[in-house]
């Protein structure tokens, strides 16, 4: 029964692990292709002598290339589990979030909102970059900006749920339109208020590799966050257990 | 059976749940974001091991 916090938290961990594995598979099969291409660009730079002591995969490295691929996938699974746990807690705490819906649609909508706030919004403002892009000198500055956008995104989601619950007296079309307008306006403010990405894209990085990487990264983020919402919804919804016999849970 | 959401909205969240969630956020930070702010030089190994995952999940990297 999903009536104690502990059982909900364990389902969050399971959902995070499953979505994390799916996302790690997307990484292995999709994202690693442009990463390899970007590393080749970086290696082509090495003889030029500008060794800032942070090359990937060359000799004398802390971690070999193979270990980076495995470690990267492992990292995605670990992040999935950690996020799944936080997701489950937020779900258990949310007294306003579509409380009239089924647990499955609540969880899926929650997953989509989290994806929008902590993945899509930062991706729009500070698009994902492959290796060989990015100055090590600015990494802390870029991290602060990135986390700022993540926090702003979460505040927008929280504000949207507050606004929606404030407007329950209105008809549904009025409520939905008002909340959507408010979200679009808030997103526009965040995109305009935060400064442009501090680093420029090096001229030797092919545009095709850059975009293949960015789209792969977005697909992987969607697999992780929307995946957590969908799998967690399947695990907590009593309707899933009743229908289990004729519809085995498929995740991919 | 009553409304499926009814049982869930009644879940009591204990105080230790916040500690568990904080742990989840710290783990996420260490895997994705730590670039020397918290752990100093030893973060390099962590960074390099999770390197591909960081790039793939779109967080700022060097």
């Amino acid at each position: 029964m999903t009536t104690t916090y502990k059982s909900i938290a364990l389902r969050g961990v399971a959902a995070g692990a499953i979505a994390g594995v799916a996302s790690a598979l997307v990484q292995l099969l999709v994202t690693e292709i442009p990463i390899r291409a970007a590393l080749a660009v970086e290696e082509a730079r090495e003889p030029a002598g500008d060794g800032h002591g942070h090359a990937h995969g060359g000799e004398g490295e802390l971690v070999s290339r193979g270990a980076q691929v495995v470690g990267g996938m492992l990292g995605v699974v670990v992040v999935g589990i950690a996020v799944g746990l936080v997701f489950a807690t937020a779900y258990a705490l949310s007294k306003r979030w579509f409380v009239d819906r089924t647990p499955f649609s609540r969880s899926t909508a929650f997953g989509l909102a989290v994806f929008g706030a902590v993945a899509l919004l930062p991706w729009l403002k500070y698009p994902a970059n492959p290796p060989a892009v990015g100055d090590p000198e600015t990494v802390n500055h870029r991290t602060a900006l990135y986390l700022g956008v993540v926090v702003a995104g979460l505040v927008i989601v929280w504000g949207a749920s507050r606004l929606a619950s404030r407007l329950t007296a209105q008809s549904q079309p009025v409520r939905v339109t008002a909340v959507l307008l408010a979200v679009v306006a808030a997103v526009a403010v965040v995109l305009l208020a935060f400064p442009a990405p501090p680093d420029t894209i090096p001229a030797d990085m092919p545009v095709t590799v850059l975009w293949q990487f960015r789209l792969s990264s977005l697909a992987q983020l969607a697999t992780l966050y929307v995946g957590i919402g969908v799998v967690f919804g399947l695990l907590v919804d009593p309707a899933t257990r009743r229908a289990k016999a004729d519809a085995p849970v498929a995740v991919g | 059976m009553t409304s499926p959401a009814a049982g869930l909205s009644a879940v009591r969240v204990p105080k230790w749940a916040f500690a568990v969630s904080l742990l989840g956020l710290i783990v996420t930070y260490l895997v994705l974001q730590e670039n020397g702010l918290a752990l100093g030089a030893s973060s390099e190994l962590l960074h390099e091991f999770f390197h591909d995952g960081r790039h793939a999940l779109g967080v700022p990297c060097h």
Side-chain angles (χ1 to χ4, degrees), chain A residues 158-244:
Chain A
W158 177 78
S161 76
R162 260 200 86 92
L163 182 63
S165 69
R166 280 267 180 119
L167 297 176
T168 40
Q170 312 292 323
S171 70
Q172 198 195 32
V174 172
R175 198 166 69 232
V176 170
T177 307
V179 171
L180 281 179
L181 282 176
V183 168
V184 168
V187 166
V189 167
V190 168
L191 291 181
L192 291 172
F194 275 82
D199 290 6
T200 50
I201 305 298
D204 59 356
M205 175 55 65
V207 172
T208 46
V209 171
L210 187 68
W211 274 95
Q212 194 188 355
F213 174 81
R214 286 180 174 175
L215 294 177
S216 308
S217 172
L218 191 62
Q220 203 180 324
L221 287 164
T223 307
L224 183 65
Y225 289 106
V226 182
I228 287 176
V230 171
V231 178
F232 182 77
L234 289 172
L235 292 176
V236 295
D237 199 325
T240 315
R241 286 194 284 287
R242 282 199 296 275
K244 189 161 63 175

Side-chain angles (χ1 to χ4, degrees), chain A residues 58-93:
Chain A
E59 61 280 358
E61 279 301 305
L62 281 168
V63 177
S64 73
R65 258 316 285 159
Q68 280 188 334
V69 173
V70 175
M73 292 173 68
L74 187 69
V76 172
V77 177
V78 170
V79 167
I81 291 171
V83 171
L85 198 54
V86 179
F87 181 93
T89 309
Y91 180 92
L93 284 171

